[in-house]
């Protein structure tokens, strides 16, 4: 069974701080997605990374795919209360998505 | 347009009721999915439809009955549910085939079984 472990599970920080969320597995992925989910809403796709070593930026969010394509990280610079939510990594197998264990982020004003 | 719509937004039903959840997408995706999500947990896959045919059933109890009338619509029929079935039900869609494909999620239906 392929598993995606995320760390930390929960993070509470002050507005303006930086943070990094990690997504790790023992398996190699052809691609990996990151989602953000707000309470009571569906996950919203943030980015897809495909190439080992790839770095993608989305405003204050920086996503990196590990060289061996077994891990990924999400770095948020100068976090804002609007960044609060559940962050999920996921990879797509044949017809199936495997979600990570999730990181719950709370940014305090 | 990457929108997946779901209705209703909220649903409260008794254990003897019959209700249906609806999902619609107009992105031309030929794979559609139902997920169940409990509080503070990742979504759990329930069903996958590919080209309007059921391709995956993750051992879901028969009180949940999916239906895909056409390539844009997906329904989930509910009957004789239990209180532990209360959860957020998410619909998603994606392309089908090899290569990278991304799933797009609807806003979900918050189901409460009393």
């Amino acid at each position: 069974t392929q598993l995606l472990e995320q760390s930390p599970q929960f993070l509470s920080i002050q507005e303006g701080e930086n943070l990094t969320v990690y997504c790790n597995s023992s398996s190699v992925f052809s691609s990996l997605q990151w989602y953000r989910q707000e309470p009571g809403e569906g996950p919203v796709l943030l980015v897809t990374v495909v190439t080992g070593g790839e770095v993608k930026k989305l405003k204050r969010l920086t996503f990196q795919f590990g060289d061996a394509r077994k891990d990924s990280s999400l770095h948020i610079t100068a976090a804002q209360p609007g960044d609060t939510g559940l962050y999920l990594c996921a990879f797509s197998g044949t017809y199936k998505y495997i979600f990570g264990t999730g990181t719950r982020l709370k940014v305090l004003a | 347009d990457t929108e997946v719509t779901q209705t209703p937004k909220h649903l409260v039903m008794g254990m003897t009721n019959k209700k249906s959840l609806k999902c619609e997408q107009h992105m031309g995706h030929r794979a559609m999915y139902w997920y169940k999500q409990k509080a503070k947990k990742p979504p759990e896959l329930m069903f996958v439809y590919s080209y309007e045919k059921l391709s995956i059933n993750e051992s879901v109890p028969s009180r949940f009955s999916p239906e895909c009338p056409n390539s844009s619509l997906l329904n989930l029929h509910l009957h004789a549910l239990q209180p532990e079935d209360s959860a957020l039900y998410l619909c998603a869609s994606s392309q089908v085939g090899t290569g990278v494909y991304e799933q797009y999620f609807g806003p979900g239906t918050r189901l409460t079984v009393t």
Side-chain angles (χ1 to χ4, degrees):
Chain A
T1 303
Q2 292 173 301
L3 292 175
L4 280 175
E5 294 288 335
Q6 287 186 236
S7 62
Q9 286 187 317
F10 181 78
L11 193 56
S12 181
I13 60 173
Q14 293 292 324
E15 182 177 3
E17 292 184 17
N18 302 332
L19 66 119
T20 302
V21 176
Y22 299 93
C23 175
N24 294 288
S25 174
S26 57
S27 302
V28 176
F29 304 121
S30 58
S31 69
L32 192 132
Q33 282 79 31
W34 283 94
Y35 289 84
R36 178 171 64 216
Q37 184 178 22
E38 298 186 18
E41 299 292 330
V44 174
L45 180 65
L46 297 174
V47 78
T48 295
V49 286
V50 178
T51 306
E54 182 177 8
V55 177
K56 282 191 172 180
K57 293 191 174 184
L58 184 65
K59 296 183 181 179
R60 294 176 293 101
L61 278 60
T62 302
F63 304 86
Q64 185 160 8
F65 204 13
D67 291 339
R69 291 185 288 127
K70 291 184 177 182
D71 56 89
S72 182
S73 64
L74 158 60
H75 182 79
I76 301 179
T77 302
Q80 299 177 0
D83 296 326
T84 293
L86 176 66
Y87 288 81
L88 294 161
C89 61
F91 80 88
S92 52
T94 305
Y95 295 130
K96 291 181 70 168
Y97 245 26
I98 305 297
F99 280 96
T101 48
T103 294
R104 191 164 298 276
L105 172 65
K106 188 170 186 178
V107 182
L108 305 170
Chain B
D1 182 11
T2 57
E3 187 178 27
V4 176
T5 59
Q6 288 186 245
T7 55
K9 180 72 171 172
H10 301 278
L11 179 62
V12 179
M13 60 185 291
M15 289 188 285
T16 58
N17 292 158
K18 285 186 180 181
K19 296 286 185 183
S20 296
L21 309 184
K22 297 184 182 301
C23 173
E24 189 168 5
Q25 58 88 15
H26 294 288
M27 293 179 277
H29 290 166
R30 301 306 298 273
M32 296 186 77
Y33 311 78
W34 280 115
Y35 288 86
K36 174 182 178 180
Q37 186 176 25
K38 301 288 271 186
K40 301 182 180 180
K41 298 290 187 181
E44 297 174 15
L45 183 65
M46 299 174 71
F47 303 103
V48 180
Y49 273 83
S50 177
Y51 296 102
E52 296 88 69
K53 294 191 186 304
L54 183 65
S55 58
I56 293 179
N57 176 343
E58 291 286 283
S59 302
V60 179
S62 60
R63 57 186 184 268
F64 295 91
S65 176
E67 178 194 22
C68 190
N70 60 56
S71 59
S72 299
L73 294 174
L74 185 66
N75 299 320
L76 186 62
H77 303 297
L78 314 173
H79 175 54
L81 295 192
Q82 304 297 309
E84 60 264 28
D85 296 321
S86 298
L88 182 68
Y89 287 83
L90 295 164
C91 172
S93 70
S94 75
Q95 296 177 348
V96 177
T98 58
V100 177
Y101 59 94
E102 300 153 333
Q103 290 193 14
Y104 293 89
F105 286 82
T109 293
R110 172 68 62 188
L111 174 66
T112 303
V113 181
T114 61

